[in-house]
Amino acid sequence: MAVTDFEDLTGLGQDFVDNPYPVYERMRAQGPVHRVRTAASGEFWLVVGHEAARTALADPRLSNDIRHSAGWQDDGGNSIGLNMVQTDPPQHTRLRKLVAKDFTPRRIAELRPRIQQIADELVDAMLPLGKADLLEAFALPLPLAVICELLGVPAGDRKMFHDWYLASTDFTRPEEAGAAAQAMTGYLAELVAAKRQDPGADLLSALAGGLSTDDDRLSPEEMLGMAFLLLVAGYETAANLLSSGTLALLRHPDQLAALRADWSLLENAVEEMLRYEGAVETTAFRYTKEPVEIGGVRVDSGESVAVVLAAASRDPRKFAEPDRFDIRRDARGHMAFGYGIHHCLGAPLARMQGAIAFRTLLERCPGLALDADPETLSWRPSLMLRGLHQLPVTFG
């Protein structure tokens, strides 16, 4: 089936940012694949069905390399380097292999005591205040501290890097976003250079110095891209999980009570949080290397395709009553971490941080409650990542 018209998403505004699910539901009812237009990215293809999403993410004819885009022009390189998200095999396989051993379940389990310590310290600091922005006081600093310690980022630089990142992803302010991206690039380049001169016992030092063979040595562009990806993917998505998951529990007191009464539900509750309000709304673009049929729709060569993981995880063909938050449901098969060879490398770390953080927070803060009307809470304007601006809470 060929499609010539498009769905115009440019005028949906903050209402769509805060709650995109009705729009995705309407689109999915008409079909799993749509031609859309947005202010930030122009026209491209959007996949909103679960089965079509899995098919698209596993199809090697859909490349993550922007050079397969019909509109690509060589402008001298990417300002944030070249990373695993932007590459295909064999380059992707090589890059992923270099860091995979640091994200195995066994290696992640070794981080548990330190993650628990950080979580306890953050709660110790919050509780005497009586109220807090849970995002800034807990959900963000916990994964930020964990990934920065793993990578070897100085503690004093973490807030600065986060501020740059938030500015760089605000497509409503393109000039500020560009300046922030350049600032991040310069900082990471200096950090990598420092690791080469004075290496430590951290992951960035190992990558910057080369590991054991020539195949392990990263080009300057690859090193820059790897540092950026590991830093951002290592904390931003986890922070979104912790804040949006807490919000889901507070908005569903019956589910919160069930979890507090039975901690054996904790791991399943985290999976339901990931399904219900995943940290990544939409994947990075894939580019068709040749004509491809997705969900019964023909997509020509050189087209840009984005998969809405959040919509796929709420497809009623996969999950009954998908808009209902239920920590006892079988949430297996959700798309929060993607699918295929680009499935999130940090999934075990995100899951463990979530389990530790939610139990610590709920056990030590029995009076935890929202300190704002949930309808007034707003989400950041990013089609790719899904995160709150803030989460005001009181501790009772």
Side-chain angles (χ1 to χ4, degrees), residues 146-158:
V146 171
I147 196 62
C148 285
E149 288 185 10
L150 182 64
L151 295 177
V153 178
D157 295 347
R158 296 167 189 175

Side-chain angles (χ1 to χ4, degrees), residues 1-9 22-38 42-49 52-53 282 285 294-299 303-308 311 317 383:
M1 177 178 67
V3 176
T4 56
D5 57 352
F6 58 85
E7 177 98 14
D8 194 345
L9 305 180
V23 174
Y24 293 145
E25 181 181 7
R26 174 178 57 77
M27 294 172 65
R28 191 172 49 238
Q30 300 169 359
V33 180
H34 294 262
R35 183 80 171 172
V36 301
R37 173 186 289 170
T38 67
E43 290 185 30
F44 57 95
W45 292 92
L46 205 62
V47 181
V48 294
T282 306
F285 280 129
I294 309 172
V297 176
R298 175 188 165 91
V299 179
E303 295 277 7
S304 301
V305 179
V307 176
V308 187
R317 294 175 179 83
L383 185 62

Side-chain angles (χ1 to χ4, degrees), residues 233-250:
Y235 82 89
E236 175 69 6
T237 53
N240 291 349
L241 165 62
L242 299 185
S243 55
S244 63
T246 301
L247 177 60
L249 288 171
L250 294 178

Side-chain angles (χ1 to χ4, degrees), residues 255-273:
Q255 300 299 302
L256 176 57
L259 180 56
R260 280 184 161 140
D262 183 2
W263 288 111
S264 69
L265 295 172
L266 180 58
E267 290 187 3
N268 201 73
V270 172
E271 296 304 312
E272 174 65 352
M273 294 171 196

